[in-house]
Amino acid sequence: MFDSKAITREDGKEFIRACSVREVPRRQGKNIYFDEETQVAIFMIADALYAVNNICPHQHAPVIAEGFIEDCTVTCPLHGWIYDLETGKAIGGHGRLKTYEIYLDGESVMLEKPEPVEPTWTI
């Protein structure tokens, strides 16, 4: 589980320790669960870290961390939508995954703290 204590940078962005770099499987995702609506999928590809929303916008399924990795894309295992991990943009579609800033601090994976998401069904 992540460390909920946030570190604030000079630019005002808050970061949390999401996990150890050893916990991020190569060419697979790791889901960092905050709540049902706020989940982040972390990927390590060729020694680079990427972080995107774990919830596929196609049918609101929390499965991106379980997706198929090819080059710098992830394919949703449920419906085959493909997303660029750098930009979050759907390849050949109109959807987009939110991306988060992420970096290594020693062995710690530091993740931009996501803002809580208000479920659309409560608005």
Side-chain angles (χ1 to χ4, degrees):
M1 192 65 171
F2 64 92
D3 180 353
S4 61
K5 182 181 172 190
I7 297 168
T8 305
R9 287 193 323 201
E10 289 179 15
D11 64 3
K13 280 191 178 179
E14 290 186 304
F15 288 81
I16 57 161
R17 182 188 181 280
C19 60
S20 164
V21 70
R22 293 184 206 137
E23 296 176 69
V24 181
R26 295 288 177 166
R27 302 197 58 78
Q28 293 180 12
K30 174 164 181 63
N31 183 20
I32 305 298
Y33 182 92
F34 295 89
D35 60 46
E36 284 187 40
E37 297 296 323
T38 310
Q39 299 179 37
V40 177
I42 296 175
F43 299 90
M44 174 75 83
I45 300 171
D47 296 325
L49 286 167
Y50 301 92
V52 296
N53 186 349
N54 187 51
I55 300 172
C56 182
H58 177 216
Q59 292 204 351
H60 202 72
V63 295
I64 296 300
E66 301 165 23
F68 174 73
I69 304 298
E70 185 173 357
D71 298 323
C72 195
T73 65
V74 61
T75 301
C76 175
L78 292 180
H79 307 102
W81 281 32
I82 302 170
Y83 300 95
D84 181 299
L85 288 173
E86 289 185 296
T87 65
K89 187 173 181 331
I91 308 292
H94 301 289
R96 178 180 293 275
L97 296 172
K98 176 161 178 39
T99 59
Y100 298 91
E101 194 172 331
I102 190 166
Y103 67 92
L104 275 179
D105 182 13
E107 292 288 311
S108 295
V109 175
M110 302 301 292
L111 173 67
E112 177 184 354
K113 186 176 179 182
E115 295 294 322
V117 176
E118 183 72 27
T120 55
W121 51 267
T122 63
I123 297 175

